[in-house]
């Protein structure tokens, strides 16, 4: 018995010693040119932040739903319908050793609310448009005031864009150290600093980010001594670097390369369905596309399951509407708003008086995995119901152009609520409406307001069901699928993408990774 | 000589101005940087604010004038993505590219000249044919094919060489070979042909007739005369190598100028792209000038004059 115990202790000691010195090399397809959680909502940026920064409110990222827990905030409470107060820990340190204070929290949010740069302004619109002001009540208490009651308070305080940054550090980076200048934010994006379990010790924009364990972290200590994200854009080189032992983990492995990795006894594949939709959308304000029956027909002509089988080996998820399991109680798979029916599509085209002229479909050649292949397949599907497609392959974003007819796009989940995905794209203030390709009715705006700001979950569910029914009739878009994102890694590395994160997050915090 | 240099310098400046103008207008005609820089989904107002912030809402002639003003005042611009001086951005990348160039150039010249000579001297036997076959294959194989093939063989299968990065000199070996391959092939071909041309000349027969050993006939009389077209080829190939490094650096993930230019082109990062193209154009112009001057050093019959 004692011998067994001693052996176990020795094994545990060895394991902890191994982990203590563990390092990881990660090859990514792309890497950001800047690092600032507050101004970034790009897919490539999502890789950078979770390890080096902290939100006020954390959540259990192992589950798709929302189970919130304290992070920098120890507690939070609603003091009135539009006022929340948050108490922060007193022992949280930034990577320069200074303590996090209420002033830092105010600064973090206020630079976004004040739209200190156009990028912060963009984040404000998508995340914090309902936030009126943030004030320090005392050294550890922060008061958030919203314009309307905010049902998503915890969700929003968990978002990457609200990761806390140091006021003194940022304002001291250029010019007058007492004043926040635009140049301060730009220098910060090249010399980022947060509170997370790893500190960023080297950053070459677009090429490498080096993270090292931060020993004064207030939470569970980082399991890795050091890790590096390195951009290797060429897939063949990335795969070889993994097979050759030059890197331990690679991102963006397309489905047709999974067998190559699985065939190597030293390697394995991990993956997950990403909370991001690949969609096609129509310019409803282009007279050619104005008839909803035409748009319904074009959506009904697309066999999404066949695309999934052919392009994603059946690993992607074909959703019934614009909904993710991460929405918790608001996840409503029972709402079926998309249908595959070539016969109905033909009938709708006849009703719409479609004249047989080609419809232009725009796609970037490489931006979306399988994007071009899907467009080529959809061309055949449209052709089968009598609609010729003029496939326009171009790297330019044409989504806001008046002459755009149809194109592909992605709708990522920026935070776990329909407002954080459908809302940022399709709400009355979303990108498609402000971009001019969709003009929903006033009734829709009323539905949206009811959905967005109601604090009653049943009311929100009913309103979202109404919104989905409206979308079905209007058919401004068709959700194709949630892609399956795959990673290649060494067999002795235990890591996988977690269901509770937004897309593409590389979480190497305690409990997320072990190296044998 | 001085007059020649002055005229060539003026011509180089004119060439650079044409390049600057061409790259300035061509990059802007190819699309708006903000369409590539901001993620899909950013609202129209933010896009417009960003366009204004970088002065891209101004008439293109105004932008061009400001750009020229910047060049004359030493302000080469700020990268749209990294928001720091393009000079700083390039300064981080140039050492890697120079290292790659150095290895490739050394490899091409050190192997190309002797192999060309051997191919000429052994032209009627198997060795000569084998060298020329290798040279032909090296010249005809696209560098991206050679790069992927080398990665597959030496990294993926044999695990002898690192496939990517720039941590050690060994990391530069495969990229340097790929970069050197067409130049090596060209030098072999030209060295061989030009040596064969020279070997039929009267002055070599005279050299042999006066009893000089063959080593001196080839080494002193033939090679020196055969070197002139070879120098021209090396000059031209250096310019071509700059273009090839764009692809080679991308495949081998070497953080150099070529990789940066690919990134800037895809993202329409105008200031970074402009500076890169001007840098390359400058290098090509200087190389041409150096080649012209070298002519005189190699062949005293060539007079470097203004005409």
């Amino acid at each position: 018995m004692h011998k067994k115990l001693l052996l176990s202790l020795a094994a545990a000691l060895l394991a902890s010693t191994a982990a203590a010195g563990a390092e990881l090399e990660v090859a990514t397809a792309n890497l950001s040119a800047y690092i600032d959680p507050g101004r970034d909502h790009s897919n490539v940026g999502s890789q950078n932040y979770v390890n080096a920064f902290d939100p006020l409110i954390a959540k259990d990222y192992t589950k798709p739903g929302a189970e919130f827990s304290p992070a920098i905030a120890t507690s939070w409470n609603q003091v009135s319908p539009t006022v929340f107060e948050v108490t922060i820990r007193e022992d949280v340190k930034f990577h320069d050793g200074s303590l996090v204070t209420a002033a830092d929290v105010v600064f973090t949010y206020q630079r976004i609310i004040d739209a200190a740069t156009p990028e912060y302004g963009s984040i404000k619109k998508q995340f914090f448009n309902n936030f009126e002001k943030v004030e320090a009540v005392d050294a550890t208490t922060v008061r958030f005031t919203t314009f309307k009651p905010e049902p998503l308070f915890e969700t929003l305080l968990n978002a990457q864009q609200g990761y806390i940054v140091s006021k003194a550090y940022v304002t001291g980076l250029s010019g007058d150290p007492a004043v926040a200048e635009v140049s301060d934010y730009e220098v910060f994006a090249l010399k980022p600093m947060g509170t997370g379990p790893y500190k960023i010790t080297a950053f070459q924009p677009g090429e490498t980010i080096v993270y090292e364990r931060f020993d004064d972290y207030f939470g569970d200590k980082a399991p890795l001594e050091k890790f590096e994200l390195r951009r290797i854009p060429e897939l063949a080189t990335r795969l070889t670097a993994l097979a050759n032992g030059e890197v331990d983990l690679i991102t963006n492995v397309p489905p047709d390369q999974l067998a190559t990795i699985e065939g190597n006894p030293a390697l394995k594949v991990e993956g997950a369905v990403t909370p991001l939709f690949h969609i096609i959308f129509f310019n409803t304000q282009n007279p050619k596309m104005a008839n909803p029956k035409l748009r319904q027909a074009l959506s009904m002509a697309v066999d999404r399951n066949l695309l999934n089988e052919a392009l994603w080996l059946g690993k992607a998820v074909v959703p019934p509407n614009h909904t993710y399991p991460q929405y918790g109680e608001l996840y409503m798979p029972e709402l079926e708003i998309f249908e595959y029916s070539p016969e109905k599509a033909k009938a709708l085209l006849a009703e719409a008086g479609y004249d047989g002229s080609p419809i232009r479909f725009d796609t970037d050649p490489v931006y979306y995995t399988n994007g071009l292949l899907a467009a080529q397949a959809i061309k055949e599907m449209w052709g089968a119901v009598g609609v010729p497609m003029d496939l326009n392959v171009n790297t330019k974003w044409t989504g806001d152009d008046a002459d755009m007819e149809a194109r592909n796009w992605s709708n990522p989940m920026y935070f776990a609520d329909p407002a954080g995905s459908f809302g940022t794209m399709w709400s009355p203030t979303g990108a498609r409406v402000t971009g001019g390709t969709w003009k929903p009715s006033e009734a829709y705006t009323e539905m949206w307001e009811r959905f967005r700001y109601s604090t009653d979950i049943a009311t929100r569910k009913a309103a979202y069901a109404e919104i989905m029914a409206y979308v079905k009739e209007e058919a401004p878009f068709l959700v194709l699928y949630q892609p399956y994102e795959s990673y290649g890694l060494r067999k002795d590395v235990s890591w996988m993408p977690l269901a509770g994160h937004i897309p593409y997050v590389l979480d190497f915090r305690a409990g997320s990774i072990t190296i044998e | 000589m001085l007059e020649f240099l002055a005229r060539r310098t003026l011509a180089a400046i004119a060439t650079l101005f044409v390049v600057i103008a061409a790259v300035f207008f061509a990059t802007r005609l190819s699309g708006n940087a903000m369409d590539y820089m901001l993620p899909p989904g950013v609202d129209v107002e933010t896009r417009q604010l960003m366009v204004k912030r970088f002065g891209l809402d101004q008439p293109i002639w105004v932008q061009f004038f400001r750009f020229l003003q910047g060049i004359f005042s030493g302000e080469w611009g700020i990268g749209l993505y990294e928001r720091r001086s393009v000079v700083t951005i390039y300064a981080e990348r140039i050492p890697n590219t120079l290292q790659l160039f150095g290895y490739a150039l050394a490899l091409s010249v050190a192997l190309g000249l002797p192999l060309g000579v051997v191919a000429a001297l052994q032209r009627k036997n198997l060795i000569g044919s084998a060298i020329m076959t290798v040279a032909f294959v090296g010249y005809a194989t696209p560098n991206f094919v050679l790069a992927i093939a080398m990665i597959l063989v030496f990294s993926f299968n044999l695990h002898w060489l690192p496939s990517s990065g720039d941590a050690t000199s060994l990391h530069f070996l495969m990229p340097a070979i790929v970069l050197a391959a067409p130049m090596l092939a060209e030098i072999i071909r030209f060295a061989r042909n030009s040596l064969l041309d020279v070997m039929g000349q009267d002055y070599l027969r005279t050299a042999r007739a006066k009893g000089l050993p063959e080593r001196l006939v080839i080494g002193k009389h033939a090679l020196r005369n055969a070197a002139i077209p070879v120098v021209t080829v090396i000059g031209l190939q250096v310019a071509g190598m700059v273009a090839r490094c764009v692809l080679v650096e991308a495949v081998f993930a070497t953080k150099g100028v070529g990789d940066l230019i690919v990134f800037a082109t895809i993202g329409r990062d105008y200031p970074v792209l402009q500076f890169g193209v001007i840098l390359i154009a400058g290098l090509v112009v200087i190389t041409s000038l150096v080649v012209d001057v070298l002519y005189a050093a190699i062949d005293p019959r060539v007079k470097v004059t203004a005409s």
Side-chain angles (χ1 to χ4, degrees):
Chain A
M1 181 67 188
H2 283 294
K3 198 176 170 187
K4 232 179 193 176
L5 190 67
L6 276 173
L7 278 173
S8 305
L9 276 172
L13 189 67
L14 275 175
S16 67
T17 310
E23 296 190 4
L24 193 78
E25 285 282 336
V26 181
T28 62
N30 280 302
L31 211 61
S32 307
Y34 63 89
I35 299 178
D36 180 350
R39 90 174 208 215
D40 196 356
H41 65 151
S42 65
N43 290 338
V44 62
S46 303
Q47 301 173 136
N48 309 334
Y49 300 108
V50 77
N51 299 300
F53 295 86
D54 284 293
L56 286 176
I57 299 176
K59 63 178 266 195
D60 183 353
Y61 294 107
T62 61
K63 298 171 186 165
E67 285 181 26
F68 296 106
S69 55
I72 290 178
T74 53
S75 64
W76 52 95
N77 66 304
Q78 191 169 3
V79 295
S80 83
T82 56
V83 176
F84 296 82
E85 283 190 354
V86 173
T87 306
I88 63 168
R89 295 172 65 121
E90 294 177 27
D91 61 343
V92 180
K93 281 184 182 172
F94 287 110
H95 297 149
D96 64 357
S98 60
L99 285 169
V100 174
T101 65
D104 296 311
V105 176
V106 172
F107 174 76
T108 297
Y109 282 91
Q110 211 60 50
R111 80 200 201 282
I112 298 171
I113 294 169
D114 293 342
T117 66
E119 289 115 320
Y120 289 133
S122 173
I123 296 298
K124 177 191 176 181
K125 281 179 194 157
Q126 297 191 45
F127 293 82
F128 305 111
N129 224 12
N130 191 29
F131 282 30
E132 186 186 350
K133 57 183 174 181
V134 184
E135 304 158 289
V137 176
D138 56 46
T140 56
T141 312
V142 183
R143 181 180 297 143
F144 289 79
T145 306
T146 60
F147 292 106
K148 299 174 186 176
E150 181 52 83
L152 304 177
F153 184 70
E154 289 161 312
T155 304
L156 291 173
L157 261 55
N158 171 252
Q160 163 207 301
Q161 287 69 19
Y163 285 177
I164 303 303
V165 297
S166 163
K167 180 182 179 182
Y169 175 74
V170 175
T171 56
L173 286 170
S174 73
D176 184 346
V179 180
E181 294 140 316
V182 170
S183 54
D184 289 328
Y185 302 121
E186 300 198 332
V187 177
F188 176 79
L190 298 169
K191 296 178 177 174
M193 184 189 76
T195 59
Y198 299 92
K199 55 188 174 186
I200 295 171
T201 53
F203 172 44
Q204 190 176 14
E207 294 299 345
T208 52
I209 312 175
V210 179
Y211 298 77
E212 289 179 33
R213 181 189 289 136
F214 176 49
D215 291 323
D216 284 342
Y217 184 57
F218 67 93
D220 293 337
K221 297 290 177 275
L224 304 176
E225 182 68 34
K226 182 180 176 184
F227 72 93
E228 178 175 341
L229 305 185
R230 176 148 65 96
R231 183 175 75 98
I232 303 185
E234 178 65 33
L235 174 65
T237 316
R238 212 155 61 241
L239 284 167
T240 304
L242 179 68
N244 210 17
E246 295 166 54
V247 299
D248 309 303
L249 195 157
I250 63 170
T251 69
N252 298 73
V253 181
D256 61 354
Q257 293 297 323
L258 298 182
T260 309
I261 295 176
E262 283 163 341
N264 186 326
L267 306 177
K268 64 181 176 181
V269 171
E270 290 287 359
V273 175
T274 318
L276 172 146
F277 289 134
H278 284 190
I279 75 162
I280 59 177
F281 73 97
F282 307 107
N283 184 359
T284 67
Q285 300 305 294
N286 182 330
K288 195 172 167 184
M289 307 300 294
N291 192 329
K293 286 182 179 170
L294 170 64
R295 304 195 296 264
Q296 288 171 8
L298 294 175
S299 296
M300 282 186 185
V302 178
D303 187 346
R304 300 182 301 155
N305 289 316
L306 183 59
L307 291 178
N308 182 14
E309 288 301 323
L311 302 178
W312 299 96
L313 312 174
K315 288 170 179 279
V317 164
V318 176
N321 67 74
H322 206 295
T323 190
Y324 295 105
Q326 282 84 349
Y327 291 169
E329 285 187 87
L330 284 163
Y331 175 54
M332 292 187 282
E334 66 277 12
L335 304 175
E336 295 272 358
I337 69 165
F338 305 119
E339 179 186 2
Y340 170 58
S341 174
E343 292 73 27
K344 281 188 189 172
K346 284 179 191 170
L348 282 164
L349 287 170
E351 284 177 41
Y354 169 62
D355 62 3
S357 60
I359 289 175
R360 200 185 89 196
F361 185 99
D362 301 342
T363 179
D364 185 286
V366 293
Y367 190 83
Y368 301 114
T369 307
N370 286 332
L372 181 56
L373 284 172
Q376 287 164 338
I378 292 167
K379 181 177 181 173
E380 296 302 313
M381 292 169 184
W382 281 6
V385 297
V387 179
M389 179 197 283
D390 177 11
L391 185 57
N392 176 33
V393 183
N394 193 333
T395 51
K396 181 183 182 295
W397 168 249
T398 58
D400 303 319
D401 295 355
D403 66 345
M404 193 275 287
E405 294 173 15
R407 69 160 295 133
N408 56 10
W409 195 28
S410 71
N411 283 184
M413 187 193 74
Y414 293 132
F415 54 87
D417 186 274
S421 179
F422 179 86
T424 53
M425 310 299 176
W426 299 99
S427 75
T429 54
R432 282 303 88 239
V433 179
T434 55
T437 57
W438 192 38
K439 199 175 176 185
S441 65
E442 284 181 15
Y444 177 81
T445 303
E446 186 277 320
M447 286 176 220
W448 178 258
E449 291 287 307
R450 195 153 26 95
F451 163 75
R452 175 63 182 83
Y453 297 110
S454 172
T455 50
D456 175 49
I457 196 77
T459 307
R460 296 194 78 209
K461 285 184 81 166
Y464 198 62
E466 278 182 57
I467 289 167
M468 287 298 106
Y470 182 77
V471 166
K472 184 180 180 181
E473 287 305 309
E474 277 279 299
F477 65 84
L478 168 72
V479 173
L480 293 175
Y481 35 67
Q482 266 184 267
Y484 187 88
E485 195 60 43
S486 299
Y487 301 80
L489 57 165
R490 275 187 6 227
K491 266 204 174 130
D492 58 351
V493 178
S494 296
W495 178 87
M496 65 185 301
L498 300 178
H501 280 303
I502 58 172
Y504 306 108
V505 168
L506 295 169
D507 184 344
F508 301 134
R509 283 172 169 249
S512 301
I513 185 166
T514 52
I515 300 178
E516 288 164 20
Chain B
M1 181 72 175
L2 278 177
E3 192 185 344
F4 167 80
L5 280 176
R7 277 181 180 262
R8 285 305 305 267
T9 306
L10 278 177
I13 290 169
T15 308
L16 281 176
F17 181 79
V18 171
V19 169
I20 286 169
V23 71
F24 182 89
F25 291 107
T27 49
R28 276 153 183 82
L29 286 174
S30 71
N32 183 336
M34 296 307 138
D35 286 339
Y36 301 87
M37 197 171 98
L38 300 171
V42 167
D43 60 290
V44 175
E45 191 194 348
T46 302
R47 280 177 194 278
Q48 287 167 347
L49 282 170
M50 293 294 286
V51 165
K52 198 173 173 183
R53 183 172 170 201
F54 289 110
L56 301 172
D57 58 333
Q58 298 293 314
I60 195 156
W61 291 107
V62 175
Q63 291 184 44
F64 186 56
F65 181 68
R66 283 185 182 165
F67 173 57
L68 290 180
Q69 264 186 325
I71 290 177
F72 287 116
S73 60
E75 292 287 328
W76 289 89
I78 303 291
L80 299 182
Y81 288 75
E82 299 184 22
R83 312 278 168 84
R84 56 188 182 139
S85 158
V86 292
V87 176
T88 311
I89 295 172
Y90 274 91
E92 286 177 2
R93 307 288 193 122
I94 286 173
N96 271 357
T97 300
L98 281 183
Q99 201 174 341
L100 191 55
F101 265 41
Y103 291 143
L105 191 62
L107 199 67
S108 310
V109 176
L111 285 179
L113 285 177
L115 285 175
V117 172
V118 172
L121 298 177
Q122 307 285 329
R123 65 190 179 281
K124 287 180 183 164
N125 63 32
L126 198 64
I127 297 172
S129 303
I131 291 172
M132 289 319 292
T133 306
V134 170
F136 177 75
V137 171
Y139 192 70
T141 309
N143 51 8
F144 62 90
V145 172
L146 186 60
I148 298 287
M150 288 193 77
I151 286 173
L152 276 175
V153 173
F154 296 107
S155 298
F156 195 82
N157 290 320
L158 298 173
H159 304 295
W160 287 356
L161 292 170
S163 63
S164 60
D166 52 11
T168 66
S169 296
L170 207 57
H171 286 81
F172 287 87
L173 186 56
M174 283 202 292
I177 291 171
V178 173
L179 200 58
M183 185 168 175
L184 176 65
E186 195 81 338
I187 291 175
I188 291 173
R189 218 161 57 92
F190 267 79
R192 174 187 180 273
N193 292 352
S194 113
L195 194 59
L196 287 178
D197 281 350
V198 168
M199 280 164 77
Q201 298 293 322
D202 288 345
Y203 58 84
L204 283 197
R205 197 162 50 240
T206 307
R208 286 193 181 100
K210 68 181 182 184
L212 276 181
E214 191 64 10
R215 179 173 52 83
L216 282 181
V217 173
I218 300 294
K220 193 171 177 183
H221 294 274
L223 269 183
R224 181 150 187 185
N225 286 291
I228 298 169
V230 176
V231 168
T232 311
V233 167
I234 292 173
L236 287 173
Q237 283 290 325
V238 166
M241 206 153 76
V242 177
R244 285 196 298 278
C245 84
V246 169
L247 195 135
V248 171
E249 287 182 2
V251 172
F252 289 100
T254 313
K255 295 162 209 158
V257 168
D259 180 59
L260 183 63
I261 288 173
V262 171
F263 210 61
T265 307
I266 293 169
R268 306 299 194 275
D269 194 339
Y270 306 144
V272 174
L273 191 54
Q274 284 159 186
F275 189 79
V277 174
I278 292 165
L279 197 69
I280 290 174
L283 185 67
V284 172
V285 166
I286 290 167
T287 307
S288 306
L289 197 62
V290 170
V291 167
D292 285 350
V293 173
L294 273 179
Y295 275 176
I298 297 169
D299 187 349
R301 289 171 305 172
V302 175
K303 300 287 179 204
V304 178
T305 62
S307 58

